[in-house]
Amino acid sequence: MKLPLHWLHEYVNPGLDAFQLAERLTMTGTAVDHVLTHGVSALDNFVVGRVLTREQHPDADRLSVCTVAIGEGDVAQIVCGAPNVGAGQTVAVASPGAVMPDGTRLKRAKLRGVVSEGMILAEDEVAIGTDHNGIMVLEDDLVPGTPLIEVLPIATDVLELEITQNRPDCLGVYGVAREVHAATGAELAPAPWEADPGSSGEIEGVRIDVEAPDLNPRFTARRFEDVTIGPSPWWLKACLMAAGQRPINNVVDITNFVMLLTGQPLHAFDWDVVAGGHLVVRRAREGETMVTLDDVERTLDPEILIICDDEGPTSIAGVMGGQRSEVSEKTTTVLMEAATWNGPNIQRTSTRLGLRTEASGRFEKGLQPEQAIDGQAVATKLMLELTGARLVPGTVDVGGPGPEPARIVLRQEKTERLLGTPVPEDETRRILTALGFGVDDAVRVPYWRRDDVTREVDLIEEVARIWGLEKIPSTLPSRRGATGRLTREQKLRRRAGDALVGAGVSEALGWSFQSPEVARRLRLDGVLADPVRLRNPLSDEQAVMRTTLLGSLLDSLRHNRARGLEDVRLFEEGAVYLNRAPEREPTPAEQRGTRLPDERNHLGALLTGRLRPPSWRDESPPAADYFAAKGVLETVLAAIRVDFAVERTSEPFLHPGRAARVLVAGADAGWLGELHPAVAAEWDLGRVAGFELDLEVVLPAARVDPLYEDLTSFPSIRQDLAFWVPAEIPAAKLVDTVRSAGGALLRDAEVFDVYAAEGRISLALRLEFRADDRTLTDEDVRGRREKIVAEVAKLGGELRG
């Protein structure tokens, strides 16, 4: 919702600038997304002027050359193209230096050879309307040189609010004004609906039937005759424009203005074209059609509530009116409707038709029946003032006015116990009163908060957020003898995450839902290509449950790369959902026949770009590849003390020859490698390396508590051996053979050099021998070394040199 501050200040002015007010509102629960500027700037260059003379431009039929008084003794020559400009008019003028709504700075110019020292303005040129057919003509009694901002709201700050589902009262300017009043103590003007010029009783010539009271708790209507359709005044247009609405005509503008002010949408019917002077609120019939105001024919069904006359549907209740009964230039009689609709039904209708409007967005959140008459009161005042209408006595009111206000007892001791600090009783009373609650022996909930405040704890929340959450000290809740600690799995998962962060990998959070297209883009097959499908997805892009973390991680990589981050390292821990029977005992629901997917916790990481930033010593750092990913994997598994092995594999989404399976305790625990270039290209990425682990396999093999051993009492013997082995023998197999042959005395073996020639590969290993009870001699090691050479020979290898 866009909230123009000049409109807010008509009801409350806290004396804060836009950013200070935004911070205060956000801290009290009304989130401000952005602070915007609407209209013009460099306001000193916008003034009231008076046209002294108007002459025809010598070289242009459609241009006039005017002399305009713009201050005491100050006259400017302005070339104007408006057809309605004339001598003696009081006008709005922009001088050179003025900044227009689109950011253009006005300059002194020549138009067809004649100097022009500014502009005489139309309403669209100061963003208070859309009319560009002629200039604005102001009141004659204005003095030339008067700052234009004192006459017209040509510039205002606008707060863009994010209103939560439980606060539809803040979808109106006055609702936010009430919040500002409570949060700052600034004086609040009376509600604009307090004085209602309307009356109760039946209306002659108007008949309303509500056949679906479950979906239409209240329907109100008033009839206006002798209505003159025309443009709205500039002040009303300015409010609508700053709030993001386009002015149309005075009657339609009144409905939009009232909706933005009170939060209650209204609809105006051209009563002369409503067949039979009769409206019926009912469910649509299967296949029934109507043309809405956006000139689209829509097919309806019985889940959709409509308003119809004796000839058929005239509007979709709570969403959009129909073309057949819309207000036009010929309208002279208006029936103004303000109703309350069932929020969930409006939401379903809006989704089903793909038609979301300002009205439906408000009704979805749940408006109260009392708000209908609030909207009628304000609309009635404006109809009488701006259209010259005559109000026909009476008000149709079906289903009103609403239930009695709820009464909730609020205890000071409960407030202190929940907040951890006492709030003065007089401050509690002030806050609740400012928010519109009645306070005596119990708290009376105002109708506009009926669905939100239902319990004592809700009142405590209201007090806390206005009093100031920053004032509440950090205290521990009452434990009552309870103790708590992390589970083994939680400890290990946190330790793994910390290790990744320590390795320079940032955590990402992705959706559990994804598009069915992800499996194709990842070239997946088997169970990973058969995801769990949602019965009622939010969108086609979130129609299935993910079977791997890879899709969401790639989305995050692309998001970062698209914003200029070349070197990205991300990890995610989360659930994946496999469309198969879980590998565990069935739950009671599953025993009753409800099959749940196999939900498994995974940990994945992806790296792209350079491994470290370039510097003067290293202008071209290495790029992320298989070995970089393996290094990160080793860091993670070392942190949780898991022994693992890798073996060559082939996966359709991995690069051939740069892919491996991760084995933990002999079981398949995930994959490691570089993504296939075709897969990376699906996300507009280059080389990407990473891994994904099934934590259900990894964590049971982890050692939470460290085991210590003596490393320094007896020295070790280190020797290097190099072997020629056939090219098809993996290095891991050679290392495993050496470790097995070395026995208990061989404490470590690692490859430190690789050399390839003539179809063979030379692998050099550094060996460390050590005993726990003595210092080893060459004789002790010789036998182990000879056995190692013999076992390697069985692989087809030989000692080099």
Side-chain angles (χ1 to χ4, degrees):
M1 171 184 167
K2 291 184 176 180
L3 175 70
L5 289 194
H6 84 276
W7 194 357
L8 176 73
H9 290 165
E10 294 180 17
Y11 300 99
V12 63
N13 188 347
L16 304 175
D17 66 32
F19 290 95
Q20 291 171 329
L21 180 58
E23 180 181 7
R24 187 71 186 114
L25 282 173
T26 299
M27 290 299 293
T28 55
T30 306
V32 180
D33 278 353
H34 299 94
V35 178
L36 311 173
T37 299
H38 177 83
V40 300
S41 52
L43 296 178
D44 292 343
N45 298 292
F46 291 88
V47 297
V48 173
R50 180 164 291 121
V51 181
L52 302 178
T53 63
R54 173 193 177 277
E55 297 179 358
Q56 183 65 43
H57 192 290
D59 294 322
D61 293 339
R62 296 185 179 183
L63 296 179
S64 304
V65 180
C66 304
T67 56
V68 183
I70 56 175
E72 188 173 350
D74 194 359
V75 177
Q77 177 177 281
I78 298 176
V79 177
C80 180
N84 65 327
V85 65
Q89 292 173 334
T90 302
V91 294
V93 177
S95 302
V99 178
M100 311 309 288
D102 62 358
T104 302
R105 184 175 292 276
L106 192 63
K107 299 179 180 179
R108 189 173 181 269
K110 273 190 177 183
L111 298 178
R112 294 290 185 93
V114 177
V115 173
S116 181
E117 300 172 319
M119 289 177 63
I120 302 175
L121 300 166
E123 63 181 38
D124 70 322
E125 292 167 329
V126 286
I128 64 170
T130 58
D131 187 11
H132 192 68
N133 293 326
I135 61 168
M136 295 183 291
V137 180
L138 309 179
E139 291 79 5
D140 290 338
D141 58 353
L142 296 175
V143 178
T146 302
L148 192 59
I149 190 64
E150 297 180 7
V151 179
L152 297 172
I154 59 174
T156 185
D157 288 320
V158 178
L159 303 184
E160 191 165 6
L161 307 178
E162 181 67 33
I163 305 302
T164 53
Q165 185 74 19
N166 63 317
R167 295 302 305 274
D169 58 301
C170 288
L171 287 171
V173 172
Y174 193 79
V176 180
R178 191 187 296 115
E179 287 287 308
V180 174
H181 163 61
T184 67
E187 184 177 356
L188 179 67
W193 52 80
E194 280 195 354
D196 183 1
S199 58
S200 59
E202 296 182 356
I203 303 176
E204 183 180 354
V206 176
R207 185 161 60 95
I208 309 293
D209 292 318
V210 176
E211 296 181 358
D214 56 324
L215 302 180
N216 180 200
R218 191 177 194 182
F219 190 102
T220 71
R222 286 178 177 173
R223 180 176 174 180
F224 299 87
E225 295 186 343
D226 302 327
V227 175
T228 301
I229 303 296
S232 299
W234 289 316
W235 63 264
L236 194 153
K237 289 183 179 181
C239 290
L240 294 180
M241 289 287 288
Q245 294 278 339
R246 184 173 62 89
I248 298 175
N249 60 50
N250 50 3
V251 172
V252 175
D253 293 350
I254 285 170
T255 63
N256 288 329
F257 180 90
V258 173
M259 176 185 69
L260 294 171
L261 175 58
T262 68
Q264 170 67 46
L266 297 92
H267 181 66
F269 292 87
D270 184 339
W271 192 243
D272 290 332
V273 300
V274 173
H278 177 212
L279 291 178
V280 178
V281 180
R282 61 170 173 83
R283 289 174 169 84
R285 301 184 181 97
E286 189 66 49
E288 205 166 12
T289 63
M290 66 168 290
V291 179
T292 47
L293 289 174
D294 56 358
D295 200 27
V296 175
E297 184 177 56
R298 302 188 183 275
T299 302
L300 312 176
D301 61 55
E303 292 295 317
I304 296 174
L305 194 66
I306 61 171
I307 304 173
C308 60
D309 61 13
D310 289 352
E311 294 181 359
T314 63
S315 63
I316 301 173
V319 180
M320 183 176 283
Q323 198 176 73
R324 188 160 57 84
S325 61
E326 70 175 315
V327 171
S328 67
E329 295 178 354
K330 300 178 181 179
T331 299
T332 59
T333 304
V334 169
L335 187 80
M336 189 68 71
E337 167 254 302
T340 308
W341 311 103
N342 177 272
N345 175 262
I346 297 299
Q347 193 276 332
R348 288 193 296 270
T349 297
S350 178
T351 302
R352 192 179 304 246
L353 297 176
L355 181 62
R356 186 170 179 82
T357 63
E358 288 281 347
S360 69
R362 284 165 168 79
F363 286 123
E364 287 172 7
K365 291 178 171 62
L367 301 184
Q368 300 303 320
E370 292 87 343
Q371 291 177 262
I373 288 297
D374 294 347
Q376 285 284 15
V378 180
T380 300
K381 295 178 190 177
L382 293 174
M383 287 291 291
L384 298 177
E385 176 185 346
L386 304 182
T387 70
R390 177 176 64 85
L391 175 62
V392 177
T395 300
V396 173
D397 190 354
V398 181
E404 288 293 317
R407 298 176 66 85
I408 303 173
V409 174
L410 177 61
R411 297 164 292 174
Q412 283 297 111
E413 60 273 16
K414 181 66 174 294
T415 301
E416 181 176 351
R417 188 164 69 251
L418 283 184
L419 299 183
T421 187
V423 179
E425 188 171 354
D426 58 343
E427 185 67 6
T428 297
R429 182 178 294 271
R430 182 200 70 78
I431 290 170
L432 292 176
T433 301
L435 290 172
F437 293 83
V439 182
D440 42 41
D441 56 327
V443 178
R444 296 186 307 280
V445 180
Y447 58 84
W448 59 84
R449 301 297 302 280
R450 180 179 290 136
D451 290 344
D452 181 36
V453 178
T454 60
R455 304 170 298 166
E456 184 180 17
V457 68
D458 297 330
L459 291 174
I460 295 172
E461 180 186 6
E462 294 299 302
V463 172
R465 69 183 182 86
I466 299 297
W467 186 59
L469 297 176
E470 69 279 3
K471 297 178 183 178
I472 299 176
S474 298
T475 58
L476 290 173
S478 175
R479 298 176 66 86
R480 297 180 182 176
T483 59
R485 64 182 63 184
L486 296 177
T487 65
R488 176 182 182 276
E489 288 72 19
Q490 289 171 329
K491 289 179 182 178
L492 292 170
R493 286 158 57 183
R494 290 194 181 188
R495 191 177 295 173
D498 290 344
L500 283 163
V501 172
V505 188
S506 301
E507 185 171 10
L509 297 176
W511 289 99
S512 296
F513 312 123
Q514 64 185 23
S515 168
E517 278 293 293
V518 170
R520 179 195 62 77
R521 296 165 70 191
L522 290 175
R523 305 170 62 170
L524 295 178
D525 55 10
V527 66
L528 297 184
D530 182 25
V532 177
R533 300 183 179 275
L534 302 180
R535 291 180 180 176
N536 186 25
L538 296 173
S539 69
D540 290 341
E541 292 300 310
Q542 296 180 326
V544 300
M545 305 297 288
R546 66 184 178 187
T547 57
T548 172
L549 301 179
L550 194 49
S552 58
L553 278 171
L554 284 168
D555 288 340
S556 298
L557 277 189
R558 180 176 60 183
H559 180 86
N560 282 272
R561 289 294 294 268
R563 283 153 181 78
L565 299 176
E566 295 296 325
D567 311 322
V568 187
R569 296 178 288 276
L570 298 175
F571 80 91
E572 180 177 358
E573 181 201 330
V576 301
Y577 305 85
L578 305 180
N579 195 6
R580 67 187 186 192
E583 299 174 358
R584 52 170 169 74
E585 290 296 322
T587 65
E590 291 169 334
Q591 292 174 352
R592 291 192 299 268
T594 302
R595 189 172 73 85
L596 299 177
D598 186 8
E599 179 179 344
R600 304 182 72 82
N601 285 318
H602 278 206
L603 175 66
L606 291 181
L607 298 77
T608 188
R610 298 164 297 190
L611 293 180
R612 55 181 177 271
S615 68
W616 63 273
R617 297 183 63 186
D618 187 8
E619 296 182 359
S620 301
D625 59 6
Y626 171 89
F627 296 102
K630 186 180 180 185
V632 174
L633 175 65
E634 289 175 343
T635 300
V636 173
L637 295 182
I640 58 177
R641 303 184 183 90
V642 170
D643 296 325
F644 76 102
V646 296
E647 65 179 19
R648 190 189 302 269
T649 189
S650 61
E651 293 286 356
F653 59 89
L654 292 178
H655 193 298
R658 302 177 189 173
R661 300 306 304 174
V662 181
L663 303 177
V664 172
D668 184 356
W671 58 264
L672 163 69
E674 295 181 23
L675 296 192
H676 195 290
V679 171
E682 289 280 351
W683 277 265
D684 301 321
L685 299 169
R687 177 184 286 187
V688 179
F691 61 84
E692 183 171 345
L693 299 176
D694 185 344
L695 295 181
E696 311 286 341
V697 175
V698 172
L699 296 186
R703 298 189 299 274
V704 178
D705 299 319
L707 298 176
Y708 298 94
E709 60 178 309
D710 183 5
L711 297 178
T712 60
S713 295
F714 298 96
S716 60
I717 294 178
R718 294 181 176 86
Q719 295 184 355
D720 295 344
L721 295 179
F723 295 97
W724 285 109
V725 295
E728 64 271 13
I729 299 297
K733 188 170 185 178
L734 174 65
V735 172
D736 289 343
T737 300
V738 170
R739 287 181 182 274
S740 176
L745 294 181
L746 180 61
R747 297 303 179 93
D748 194 17
E750 62 178 13
V751 177
F752 70 87
D753 185 57
V754 179
Y755 172 71
E758 301 177 357
R760 295 192 302 172
I761 295 178
S762 170
L763 296 174
L765 285 77
R766 179 159 293 132
L767 310 180
E768 181 182 0
F769 296 91
R770 187 177 69 254
D772 295 332
D773 56 350
R774 68 188 189 281
T775 299
L776 294 177
T777 66
D778 288 342
E779 291 298 324
D780 294 325
V781 173
R782 183 180 299 116
R784 296 290 93 195
R785 186 171 62 243
E786 291 173 352
K787 186 173 182 181
I788 288 172
V789 173
E791 290 298 321
V792 171
K794 295 178 181 178
L795 296 177
E798 61 176 303
L799 190 64
R800 182 179 171 188

